[in-house]
Amino acid sequence: GWDITTAGDGADPRKRDITLRHALGHCAGLPARGMYFERLSAAETREGKALVATEDGARRIVAMACEEALIDGPGRVVIYSDVGYILLGEWLARASGRRLDRLFAEEIATPLGLTDTGYMRADGGSTAGSVPDAGRIAPTDRCPWRRRVLRGEVQDENAYAMGGVAGHAGLFSTAREVHRLTSAFV
């Protein structure tokens, strides 16, 4: 079941009413975004150990997302929510027993023959065939947090802090393969 957001003492009892459909439809009552990467960076400095782009860091971000206060009750308001999709990605990983990037590669990319679609992990690795070489990807942004121009890495800071693999961001593809993927859903 959907139990990710109900962890911890004092959790809002309305969170028990959140369904997968609520999260998928951005009406779970969760906020749009959390600045988890900033909190993770501060913890990294405080603790003197690497957390950004590590498994421990990803777990901490999921825990922060779980702790978010609801803005409204489930099903009452539509808010495009990265937080909900971070939690959906975690739910998929837990339910399948596989990392989200492996799950995508094995259940979606490979069956559809997508060889240029997958996650670009922060450690430089990728999944699902031959994801486009970073040199072939247009620069997307100058990131003040990372202090560099981004090219071939996820733009979203929270997804990067989670190692580049998250339910809300991090998937790279070509236009041709995006068309193939979306055509499979219609």
Side-chain angles (χ1 to χ4, degrees):
W2 174 263
D3 61 356
I4 288 179
T5 61
T6 58
D9 294 335
D12 186 329
R14 298 176 300 170
K15 286 184 175 181
R16 287 187 199 93
D17 297 330
I18 297 173
T19 65
L20 287 171
R21 186 175 299 270
H22 286 134
L24 285 166
H26 297 286
C27 62
L30 293 163
R33 187 166 199 258
M35 302 302 277
Y36 309 131
F37 69 98
E38 290 178 344
R39 291 168 52 194
L40 192 65
S41 290
E44 188 174 77
T45 301
R46 210 173 35 255
E47 296 174 23
K49 67 177 184 175
L51 293 172
V52 171
T54 67
E55 286 186 36
D56 186 28
R59 279 191 295 275
R60 289 183 187 206
I61 287 177
V62 168
M64 289 179 225
C66 288
E67 294 166 2
E68 285 288 357
L70 293 180
I71 291 173
D72 205 337
R76 296 181 46 93
V77 63
V78 175
I79 300 169
Y80 184 88
S81 176
D82 284 356
V83 176
Y85 272 68
I86 288 170
L87 296 174
L88 280 168
E90 178 65 14
W91 183 85
L92 283 168
R94 288 182 188 184
S96 70
R98 293 178 274 181
R99 283 178 39 142
L100 188 58
D101 56 343
R102 291 273 28 118
L103 178 65
F104 177 81
E106 294 166 3
E107 300 296 330
I108 297 173
T110 299
L112 292 176
L114 304 176
T115 58
D116 283 333
T117 302
Y119 286 91
M120 300 285 282
R121 296 192 318 256
D123 64 8
S126 64
T127 56
S130 58
V131 175
D133 175 29
R136 290 180 31 214
I137 298 171
T140 55
D141 193 13
R142 176 172 291 285
C143 178
W145 177 57
R146 287 175 261 182
R147 298 185 181 110
R148 64 177 178 267
V149 172
L150 305 182
R151 182 182 199 143
E153 61 185 299
V154 64
Q155 185 175 1
D156 183 273
E157 294 94 343
N158 286 328
Y160 177 80
M162 294 177 75
V165 179
H168 72 295
L171 199 59
F172 283 81
S173 190
T174 61
R176 178 172 281 123
E177 290 200 358
V178 167
H179 179 263
R180 186 180 307 158
L181 177 63
T182 57
S183 295
F185 294 113
V186 289

